Amino acid sequence: MSEFVLIQVGQCGNQIGNALWPKILSEYDVSITKNSAKLQNNGTGLCQDSFNSFFHVPSAKQNNGYNSLHELINNKVKARAVCIDMEDSVVARYRTGILKGLFDEKCLVTNYPGSGNNWAEGFCEHGPQYEEKIFNSLRHSVERCDSLHGFLMMFSTGGGTGSGLGTYTLNRLTDVFPKIERFVSCVYSTGTEDVITSPYNNALSTHQLLENATCVFPVENRCLLDIAMRKYRNGLMGKSEKITQFHSTDDMNSSIVDMLLHLTSGSRFRGSLNFDMNDISTNMVPYPKMNFLSSGFNHIVNVNEKNTVSKRHKEELFVASFSRSNQLIQVDPLAPKSYLLGASLIGRGEYTITDLQAHIEKLQNKAKFTAWSKKSIRIGLCSVAPKGQKIALFSLFNSTRMYNLFEHLYKQFNSLFKKQAHIHHYAKINNFDMEFFDECKESLQNIMQKYREIEVSVPMNIPRLKPRLT
Amino acid sequence: MSILSLQFGQCGNQVCEMLYSLLEQDIQAKKTINQDFYAESTTKWFDINNKGHLRPRSIFIDTETKVVKPLKSLQIVAKAIGGSANNWACGYAENSRLIKADVLNLVRQEVEKCDRLTNFLTFYSLSGGTGSGVGSAVIEELCTDYPNKILVNCAILPYTRGEIATQSYNSLLNLAKLYPLVDSTILIENERLHHQCKYSIGLSEITYNHLNALIAQQISAIFQPLNNTNTFELIKELTPHKNFKFLQIRTEPNKNLSDFECAMPWVGLWNGLNKQNRFDANFTNQIIASTLIARGDGFTECNLRKTSKDFVKWLSKDENFKILSTNVRFLSYKRHLSQILNGSNIVKPLNFILEDAWKLFTHAAYIHHYKKFGVDEHWFLESFQVLENWTRSLLIGPKMRKDNY
Ligand SMILES: Nc1nc2c(ncn2[C@@H]2O[C@H](COP(=O)(O)OP(=O)(O)O)[C@@H](O)[C@H]2O)c(=O)[nH]1
Ligand SMILES: Nc1nc2c(ncn2[C@@H]2O[C@H](COP(=O)(O)OP(=O)(O)O)[C@@H](O)[C@H]2O)c(=O)[nH]1
Ligand SMILES: [Mg+2]
């Protein structure tokens, strides 16, 4: 069974983890509270195999499923996660909070007092300093996998630890485990710019992501915020939870969590047209470094829709999946200048090929493609829908309009860099080379250029080879 | 005579799961009414264990355990290496190395076990990574190790609208590698099957199971025992020339045993078969060779009007068009007609592959994924050349006179 090792770095990464693990448990019908009424006794039974994707179960303890966290912990089941932070507060929750005992102590790497929202501190200082400790944890986790599918990293790009130490770890993964894919879901703090140096940190880490990640699933806080507000307006959140702009990280993170669960669903569950995580890079990354993908799905699941599987409902889900307001990044796959280099559609639950072939046809008519990419659409069928839903549709796009994100990062970076503002925080770090700045600037320019070139390129019409008859 | 089948990848495995359950159904139905057939068919496809259960003589191969696990067959070679990333090169050059020795070992054991084992039947989809890539590597090896056995290769073509971004590359690389090596390749078009499900069966929601049910019928209608015919020899005769080794199968009826279909006279079934060519629209199908198999009650050849204009001129009539019949029914169809043919209309799907793959290739798309595994531009170009050559000969060959060939 395909296994993942999650690597959560920094405050943001670990907060996402904090929202993710309870949801994973609930997906497998494992209740977190101690004395909850027994579920209909099927616990993880249904998806026992796929349970191993995110959890290590000691081989002597394999059974027909667990019903509660309590049981998991008694059986020494461990989350496949390495939690790294240069401060203690968030990771401490894994030691003392409700998930206590689910994480292997060996896999919690912490320090005090943080990375000062400085990429250089994370990358150049903490990186080399903590490398051994981090990779010991990673090796420990990897050894406990039968068939490791990939690393799944989560961190923000705007701070210091996730951004710097996260991308440092990513770099080293490339060398230490060259054959294992590296998926990164990173949070760009657009819309919640609370860190003055974030433009530098964003740019420096983005350069590393372009170079070293197999695929990146970026998320922008401004999009998460919008979605959270919409959910709120639709009454999908508890009445007591008040959304005030900057204190809704939990609500915002829940969309990232849903995305991650969708993303890994094809690798975890059966389906008559299987879509593994490893297929993503082949299908979605036509040229090296064009590895940033936008993801979309319906976020507003109304109670009365949960049980319908009608054609009309499927149609709505399809439209929702590419609608600009449902992307986790500000990219409109159908924008006038957006050319798709690839798209994936995963139907979860009761989907048929008829449904997906119809979706493909519609997408081919609606969206713009390059001279060669019209058929660059991957479909997948996953038999298990998200918890509590009958059907769901998840989509990924590789649009040339990812340009917008890079342009935004570039502009913000440049406006500080021109003035050489805050440079000294970076320059003072040992091993930080001013060339890092030039390099990442160039890297952003290059990637923007690449997307532009595709948008304006003219189709090649080289005639096919002449047959040679024998 | 017995068959060892090998299935690669998810598609291959799903198709064969259906195939063996259909065969079992057909065999069980004959248990009391036709013991000769029962015995022959059983030894052809199955081993019988000491409890009297039938076990498919078949090897299931995948690189991802999710898919293979639920199948009841005992001979499974599946290494959980997380699939082949929809990349032929990954399957061919990398994953096959982890799996090939095990597979060949099992094949050797099977061959030693049954001395009457004559032939291999392989199943996989062209467009994925495991079936297409690992399949190529293993089949290549089988052809070298067992030059005297006949290998009939059943390959499934993807929907033309697209399902996998690299489907045209994977199909191209697989065909270019295997076509010269294997005796015949039966090409099965998902698109055609889908069309059939929709229009002749009238299904509105189509799943892979529906397609697989049709494939299972096609394969068993051809390969189930038929008097004393050696099906593999028969197929070999259908591919008389190295440039024409692609075969297709058609069957009638396809509906599930409705009264109307059962009562359909032979001539009606024959017309039905011919009508299936409509799927190819304006494409005239020049037939190089074909065999018609009639299973069921009271068949006489004079029932059929033969239109010889569709046949190539450079083979004699006998070589062109064979008719075989048995009064043993297929499943519980009163009359069932199947045709296995070597025709030029296969150019149509091949052309799609070439067209799509060439478009990607000239824009250098996805190449870096293949280069990682040693499949470079040169390799691609050679594969293009090989496929262009046959497509061309399929187009002009059938129109030639005998002395040109
Ligand atoms: N969506 C989301 N963004 C966060 C979260 N925590 C922090 N951020 C953003 O990430 C940036 C700071 O990164 P942080 O993770 O605190 O830094 P680090 O601990 O040094 O890696 C800020 O701009 C925050 O807006 C979170 O839980 N969810
Ligand atoms: N007819 C049929 N085609 C299938 C089935 N499953 C997958 N396919 C086709 O096979 C292709 C995917 O290949 P797959 O076998 O999943 O890849 P692999 O596991 O890497 O070999 C797609 O083009 C599908 O249309 C099936 O059960 N029946
Ligand atoms: Mg597969």
Side-chain angles (χ1 to χ4, degrees):
Chain A
M1 187 47 59
S2 336
E3 293 133 354
F4 295 95
V5 171
L6 272 63
I7 308 178
Q8 315 172 171
V9 196
Q11 182 187 346
C12 179
N14 283 293
Q15 280 175 186
I16 297 171
N18 222 5
L20 177 64
W21 290 102
K23 200 129 179 193
I24 293 176
L25 288 172
S26 112
E27 195 172 49
Y28 293 114
D29 283 340
V30 175
S31 84
I32 293 179
T33 45
K34 247 188 191 150
N35 323 317
S36 74
K38 269 233 164 202
L39 291 151
Q40 307 90 328
N41 227 351
N42 58 357
T44 50
L46 187 69
C47 324
Q48 176 62 26
D49 279 345
S50 74
F51 186 69
N52 292 340
S53 292
F54 284 142
F55 297 95
H56 171 71
V57 182
S59 48
K61 302 282 170 56
Q62 299 278 357
N63 73 4
N64 290 327
Y66 300 98
N67 288 306
S68 69
L69 183 59
H70 189 64
E71 248 178 273
L72 287 185
I73 289 164
N74 281 345
N75 284 299
K76 300 205 161 50
V77 173
K78 297 288 178 203
R80 299 188 192 278
V82 172
C83 313
I84 307 166
D85 203 354
M86 293 293 102
E87 56 178 320
D88 217 1
S89 57
V90 184
V91 171
R93 287 191 230 163
Y94 298 128
R95 293 199 170 100
T96 56
I98 45 167
L99 297 177
K100 182 178 152 204
L102 189 60
F103 294 83
D104 200 322
E105 187 59 39
K106 286 197 192 89
C107 296
L108 306 179
V109 181
T110 53
N111 178 46
Y112 191 77
S115 309
N117 287 327
N118 183 342
W119 179 88
E121 215 172 309
F123 195 93
C124 304
E125 213 158 77
H126 293 141
Q129 203 177 337
Y130 283 87
E131 178 172 340
E132 198 180 330
K133 204 160 173 210
I134 293 171
F135 277 82
N136 280 341
S137 307
L138 283 169
R139 263 185 290 270
H140 176 76
S141 307
V142 169
E143 277 160 16
R144 291 165 158 229
C145 294
D146 291 329
S147 102
L148 179 57
H149 217 83
F151 295 108
L152 186 53
M153 302 189 79
M154 306 177 295
F155 51 76
S156 62
T157 57
T161 307
S163 182
L165 187 54
T167 53
Y168 182 86
T169 307
L170 174 67
N171 251 357
R172 299 293 303 129
L173 283 176
T174 316
D175 300 326
V176 181
F177 302 101
K179 288 204 170 161
I180 300 182
E181 309 218 309
R182 301 166 298 278
F183 304 104
V184 180
S185 174
C186 59
V187 174
Y188 284 97
S189 46
T190 46
T192 55
E193 275 106 349
D194 40 4
V195 175
I196 295 171
T197 48
S198 73
Y200 286 144
N201 301 333
N202 285 336
L204 288 160
S205 56
T206 301
H207 168 50
Q208 297 297 326
L209 290 169
L210 286 165
E211 294 291 324
N212 292 308
T214 312
C215 288
V216 181
F217 308 95
V219 164
E220 280 184 272
N221 270 346
R222 55 183 171 190
C223 300
L224 296 181
L225 208 55
D226 274 357
I227 294 167
M229 297 295 235
R230 256 193 302 143
K231 280 188 182 170
Y232 184 65
R233 282 197 299 273
N234 276 269
L236 291 176
M237 283 173 185
K239 295 241 164 16
S240 58
E241 298 172 52
K242 261 254 160 64
I243 288 223
T244 49
Q245 260 196 320
F246 296 105
H247 299 280
S248 54
T249 44
D250 283 352
D251 303 321
M252 286 161 59
N253 289 347
S254 85
S255 296
I256 306 181
V257 166
D258 289 342
M259 185 271 281
L260 292 171
L261 290 177
H262 275 310
L263 189 64
T264 54
S265 65
S267 289
R268 293 184 289 133
F269 304 118
R270 273 176 61 79
S272 61
L273 186 59
N274 192 32
F275 190 175
D276 282 323
M277 280 284 276
N278 313 54
D279 300 344
I280 294 180
S281 141
T282 313
N283 283 281
M284 299 295 291
V285 186
Y287 302 112
K289 295 189 195 173
M290 303 194 115
N291 56 349
F292 274 58
L293 308 177
S294 97
S295 47
F297 54 96
N298 178 38
H299 297 272
I300 315 291
V301 185
N302 291 316
V303 184
N304 53 358
E305 272 174 358
K306 281 187 177 166
N307 289 318
T308 55
V309 288
S310 67
K311 270 267 172 263
R312 193 183 58 83
H313 185 37
K314 282 181 180 166
E315 189 60 32
E316 284 165 4
L317 291 181
F318 171 60
V319 172
S321 80
F322 56 75
S323 126
R324 151 194 191 158
S325 59
N326 284 326
Q327 306 297 309
L328 298 188
I329 189 143
Q330 245 182 40
V331 162
D332 178 2
L334 299 188
K337 277 205 264 175
S338 162
Y339 290 85
L340 297 185
L341 304 177
S344 294
L345 299 171
I346 308 182
R348 300 186 58 186
E350 295 171 33
Y351 269 89
T352 63
I353 342 178
T354 309
D355 297 324
L356 292 182
Q357 285 288 328
H359 288 348
I360 293 183
E361 188 176 354
K362 287 223 176 81
L363 188 62
Q364 284 173 337
N365 291 332
K366 268 186 197 305
K368 277 192 288 306
F369 294 86
T370 65
W372 52 268
S373 66
K374 192 145 194 165
K375 291 187 179 180
S376 299
I377 299 178
R378 173 66 155 100
I379 51 173
L381 293 165
C382 171
S383 55
V384 179
K387 174 122 178 120
Q389 282 161 255
K390 270 252 163 69
I391 51 169
L393 189 73
F394 177 67
S395 68
L396 289 170
F397 296 101
N398 191 345
S399 157
T400 53
R401 279 291 105 191
M402 195 54 80
Y403 181 90
N404 297 350
L405 173 71
F406 296 114
E407 188 188 44
H408 180 82
L409 298 175
Y410 178 75
K411 280 187 174 158
Q412 290 210 320
F413 169 86
N414 226 17
S415 69
L416 289 189
F417 193 59
K418 269 197 316 239
K419 295 180 281 187
Q420 300 278 299
H422 310 294
I423 291 280
H424 60 285
H425 294 302
Y426 293 80
K428 72 172 187 219
I429 305 285
N430 261 347
N431 294 331
F432 183 85
D433 193 329
M434 290 305 277
E435 271 178 27
F436 277 122
F437 280 130
D438 302 320
E439 238 174 55
C440 80
K441 187 174 160 186
E442 198 178 315
S443 175
L444 288 174
Q445 281 169 331
N446 281 346
I447 189 75
M448 281 155 62
Q449 167 86 6
K450 275 178 117 178
Y451 282 113
R452 285 293 294 147
E453 270 169 16
I454 290 183
E455 283 180 355
V456 301
S457 70
V458 279
M460 295 250 224
N461 271 321
I462 302 173
R464 270 164 52 179
L465 296 181
K466 288 230 163 56
R468 278 190 241 122
L469 288 188
T470 50
Chain B
M1 189 200 66
S2 64
I3 295 174
L4 175 63
S5 76
L6 295 98
Q7 293 89 66
F8 304 88
Q10 175 164 31
C11 175
N13 285 314
Q14 286 174 174
V15 165
C16 284
E17 191 179 16
M18 194 65 99
L19 172 66
Y20 280 96
S21 82
L22 187 90
L23 285 166
E24 207 167 338
Q25 196 187 327
D26 193 31
I27 290 172
Q28 294 303 350
K30 309 283 162 43
K31 192 165 187 171
T32 49
I33 52 173
N34 190 335
Q35 294 198 338
D36 289 346
F37 184 93
Y38 174 78
E40 198 184 336
S41 178
T42 309
T43 45
K44 194 167 191 175
W45 300 98
F46 293 92
D47 288 328
I48 305 174
N49 69 11
N50 43 21
K51 284 195 193 123
H53 294 313
L54 299 183
R55 194 199 63 171
R57 192 177 309 101
S58 108
I59 303 175
F60 291 73
I61 301 141
D62 206 347
T63 52
E64 170 58 62
T65 46
K66 270 196 297 300
V67 179
V68 194
K69 234 175 200 164
L71 300 179
K72 60 185 170 183
S73 161
L74 300 174
Q75 307 209 40
I76 292 175
V77 185
K79 290 247 162 80
I81 33 193
S84 306
N86 293 159
N87 181 343
W88 183 87
C90 172
Y92 181 77
E94 174 104 353
N95 287 345
S96 73
R97 283 189 296 164
L98 304 171
I99 234 169
K100 204 158 64 178
D102 289 352
V103 178
L104 293 172
N105 235 342
L106 275 180
V107 171
R108 198 161 32 75
Q109 283 168 22
E110 284 300 328
V111 171
E112 282 164 8
K113 205 156 58 192
C114 50
D115 37 312
R116 292 207 313 152
L117 176 78
T118 37
N119 303 302
F120 300 118
L121 201 52
T122 53
F123 296 90
Y124 59 85
S125 70
L126 286 167
S127 53
T130 304
S132 190
V134 176
S136 296
V138 172
I139 292 168
E140 199 176 13
E141 206 88 8
L142 287 178
C143 291
T144 334
D145 290 359
Y146 302 94
N148 297 325
K149 299 198 182 300
I150 301 177
L151 190 148
V152 174
N153 188 23
C154 304
I156 286 134
L157 286 158
Y159 281 88
T160 46
R161 194 176 282 292
E163 289 168 287
I164 294 178
T166 47
Q167 63 183 28
S168 58
Y169 276 173
N170 296 332
S171 306
L172 169 81
L173 293 166
N174 174 290
L175 290 174
K177 168 70 52 193
L178 288 187
Y179 183 81
L181 298 175
V182 302
D183 296 288
S184 338
T185 296
I186 298 178
L187 284 182
I188 298 167
E189 299 160 77
N190 270 350
E191 192 93 30
R192 183 187 288 274
L193 299 173
H194 189 96
H195 185 267
Q196 230 164 9
C197 285
K198 192 164 169 188
Y199 297 104
S200 16
I201 309 182
L203 295 168
S204 60
E205 289 292 326
I206 296 160
T207 65
Y208 284 110
N209 271 346
H210 294 125
L211 307 189
N212 296 346
L214 286 179
I215 300 175
Q217 283 213 14
Q218 294 184 349
I219 299 294
S220 30
I222 299 297
F223 284 89
Q224 275 289 53
L226 181 67
N227 308 325
N228 289 318
T229 317
N230 181 334
T231 320
F232 283 83
E233 288 296 341
L234 179 115
I235 288 181
K236 213 172 163 176
E237 282 165 24
L238 285 172
T239 49
H241 191 282
K242 69 171 170 51
N243 281 358
F244 308 103
K245 294 201 288 192
F246 288 119
L247 300 174
Q248 304 162 70
I249 302 175
R250 310 266 188 271
T251 58
E252 274 297 318
N254 292 304
K255 274 218 173 82
N256 268 350
L257 301 172
S258 76
D259 293 343
F260 168 73
E261 295 292 335
C262 288
M264 181 81 90
W266 288 112
V267 127
L269 295 178
W270 170 243
N271 291 337
L273 272 189
N274 289 320
K275 263 189 217 152
Q276 289 184 21
N277 288 333
R278 284 184 190 167
F279 174 77
D280 297 317
N282 307 317
F283 208 97
T284 49
N285 189 12
Q286 281 279 307
I287 292 172
I288 291 142
S290 126
T291 295
L292 197 66
I293 298 173
R295 297 175 188 270
D297 304 355
F299 176 79
T300 47
E301 278 190 39
C302 58
N303 282 342
L304 316 179
R305 267 178 297 114
K306 273 173 269 176
T307 44
S308 55
K309 71 169 171 43
D310 293 336
F311 285 87
V312 295
K313 307 288 182 291
W314 43 269
L315 289 168
S316 75
K317 191 92 182 189
D318 293 345
E319 291 169 287
N320 268 171
F321 189 64
K322 261 207 189 103
I323 298 177
L324 301 169
S325 66
T326 167
N327 50 21
V328 180
R329 287 183 185 178
F330 176 58
L331 296 164
S332 39
Y333 291 110
K334 202 168 175 186
R335 302 184 195 90
H336 188 274
L337 206 55
S338 54
Q339 184 181 26
I340 176 160
L341 60 113
N342 183 343
S344 63
N345 64 337
I346 204 67
V347 164
K348 194 176 129 189
L350 294 180
N351 219 10
F352 269 121
I353 293 172
L354 277 168
E355 200 62 46
D356 293 349
W358 186 248
K359 221 182 258 167
L360 296 182
F361 183 72
T362 49
H363 291 87
Y366 308 107
I367 299 284
H368 68 288
H369 296 298
Y370 291 78
K371 278 179 132 168
K372 261 197 316 219
F373 299 99
V375 174
D376 58 4
E377 286 89 350
H378 186 68
W379 189 316
F380 270 98
L381 277 173
E382 280 190 348
S383 305
F384 275 112
Q385 187 67 63
V386 171
L387 211 64
E388 290 288 0
N389 293 353
W390 318 315
T391 332
R392 186 66 191 153
S393 51
L394 270 166
L395 280 175
I396 60 162
K399 298 197 184 80
M400 286 189 178
R401 280 177 304 123
K402 185 165 183 155
D403 37 323
N404 290 74
Y405 261 93

